[in-house]
Amino acid sequence: MSYVLGLDAGATKTLAMIADYHGHIIGTYTAGTGNFQVNGIEAARNEVKKAIEGAIKDAGITKEDVTAAFYGMAGADRDKDFEYVHQVVEPVNPAPKMSIENDAVIILKVGTLDGVGVGVVCGTGTNCIGFNKKGDRLQVGGIGDLFGDAAGASYIGVTAFKRAVRGWEGRGPKTILYDMFCEEIGIDRLIDILDFFYRGERGIVKFSELTPLVFEAANKGDQVALGLLREVGEEMGLTVNVAIDKLFQPDEHVKVVIGGSVAQKGDNPAMLDAFREKISSHHPNNEVIVPTLEPAFGAIFYAYDLVDVPITNEVINNLKKTFRDN
């Protein structure tokens, strides 16, 4: 039999899936970050290789059985970045037919199947990429906070930390985030985080992992947490509006698909409500979609396209039924 490989490499994890041509997922494997911008080309390649080989082993097949592969890669932004990403993927790719795109593109595919619309990532980082019916492609943001990005778990965690400190000192409104962060990190005062830095243990504190606490605080009515989530939602809505303005006609119906761990697993509606409101205020004829499927499903869909396998409702239902997150 023949199989396809779909892979989603983000700033935190890399998920690989193996599926047959009928939509049955027979192998999965999760490795570390496959984003070369985070840990370099060689380390990213090792994680991508680990995910591919793990999924193939889990499926009980050989790499020669994989006919097509699609890679959704965080960090695939500029043309030069694609050169680096090819250095990550090509040496470990098992399939004769393969293609690479940014991870925002596989999120768009999950929600639209035809890949037309705007895809937004809100995971560890953020990105926004759109395609119109003519195939024109546009990316808005996605390069990092130095270049104006203001969304994703890393941004939310760092910003919430700063606002917690400011509130404790009196330079801003008080927030329950201060005590929550102290307990999570295991320190009495947030300023004592400096001790980790001085000991060369900066990596012990992962600010992105503070983001679930922001949602928890928002659920308790904390205004600082709620305000931050609304700001992030509005910022992502702004990037979508820019993409729609440049790719679509004013009255054209546009599908907007938002995915990633923060967007899909955040358990307070403030961020997504603000996201929808920002888009609708500028482009009323839109449809915001938050997929229930992992973004890696979009990579599977694109891999099917490479070998002309139609993505029927039966195939999609089989994928849903047979997926298991390891």
Side-chain angles (χ1 to χ4, degrees):
M1 289 186 67
S2 298
Y3 304 90
V4 299
L5 164 69
L7 184 140
D8 173 26
T12 300
K13 70 174 185 178
T14 299
L15 173 61
M17 296 181 183
I18 300 289
D20 66 20
Y21 282 17
H22 302 288
H24 300 103
I25 296 175
I26 62 169
T28 63
Y29 193 88
T30 302
T33 176
N35 184 345
F36 78 92
Q37 295 174 340
V38 175
N39 60 352
I41 291 173
E42 183 177 356
R45 183 190 302 125
N46 288 339
E47 295 302 323
V48 170
K49 179 182 179 182
K50 189 186 301 181
I52 293 170
E53 292 180 349
I56 289 174
K57 181 179 180 180
D58 187 46
I61 63 173
T62 68
K63 64 181 182 180
E64 288 76 20
D65 295 320
V66 181
T67 56
F70 194 93
Y71 301 88
M73 306 292 291
D77 300 306
R78 307 169 303 150
D79 290 343
K80 189 68 176 179
D81 295 329
F82 273 87
E83 294 178 19
Y84 296 140
V85 170
H86 275 275
Q87 293 176 40
V88 170
V89 171
E90 286 184 355
V92 297
N93 166 57
K97 294 183 178 181
M98 61 88 74
S99 189
I100 299 170
E101 248 295 2
N102 188 280
D103 58 339
V105 175
I106 60 174
I107 286 175
L108 178 59
K109 184 74 167 178
V110 165
T112 62
L113 292 186
D114 64 0
V116 175
V118 180
V120 181
V121 176
C122 188
T124 304
T126 187
N127 208 339
C128 174
I129 296 179
F131 289 89
N132 60 22
K133 292 178 180 178
K134 296 185 293 183
D136 298 325
R137 180 188 192 276
L138 178 71
Q139 177 171 336
V140 183
I143 312 297
D145 60 350
L146 179 63
F147 296 90
D149 291 345
S154 294
Y155 173 83
I156 294 171
V158 169
T159 305
F161 185 93
K162 292 176 180 178
R163 293 184 184 180
V165 171
R166 291 178 66 88
W168 179 74
E169 290 182 335
R171 291 187 287 160
K174 287 189 177 298
T175 167
I176 62 174
L177 289 169
Y178 188 91
D179 290 336
M180 294 172 73
F181 289 169
C182 284
E183 182 178 355
E184 176 71 15
I185 299 169
I187 52 182
D188 294 327
R189 303 176 304 165
L190 289 186
I191 197 171
D192 293 333
I193 199 175
L194 293 172
D195 293 331
F196 293 116
F197 300 165
Y198 297 155
R199 294 196 299 264
E201 299 172 345
R202 183 179 292 267
I204 288 178
V205 181
K206 294 181 172 61
F207 288 99
S208 61
E209 295 179 0
L210 299 178
T211 295
L213 296 178
V214 178
F215 280 88
E216 183 180 333
N219 286 333
K220 294 178 179 179
D222 185 84
Q223 292 303 304
V224 172
L226 284 165
L228 175 55
L229 293 179
R230 292 190 190 105
E231 288 173 24
V232 170
E234 290 177 0
E235 173 66 20
M236 292 189 296
L238 174 62
T239 64
V240 169
N241 287 340
V242 171
I244 293 176
D245 281 344
K246 295 184 177 182
L247 287 172
F248 299 94
Q249 297 299 315
D251 59 347
E252 192 171 354
H253 179 75
V254 180
K255 291 183 178 180
V256 179
V257 187
I258 182 168
S261 57
V262 176
Q264 292 176 276
K265 297 178 182 178
D267 60 354
N268 182 280
M271 184 183 78
L272 289 180
D273 285 350
F275 177 71
R276 292 185 177 95
E277 290 166 8
K278 186 71 173 182
I279 299 169
S280 294
S281 67
H282 195 59
H283 292 283
N285 194 15
N286 76 85
E287 178 184 354
V288 173
I289 300 166
V290 184
T292 57
L293 300 176
E294 284 274 353
F297 279 85
I300 290 288
F301 293 160
Y302 271 122
Y304 281 149
D305 289 345
L306 293 175
V307 286
D308 298 319
V309 172
I311 306 169
T312 63
N313 287 334
E314 181 181 0
V315 166
I316 294 172
N317 288 333
N318 286 340
L319 289 169
K320 290 178 180 179
K321 291 176 183 177
T322 56
F323 172 68
R324 51 187 171 79
D325 191 352
N326 65 337

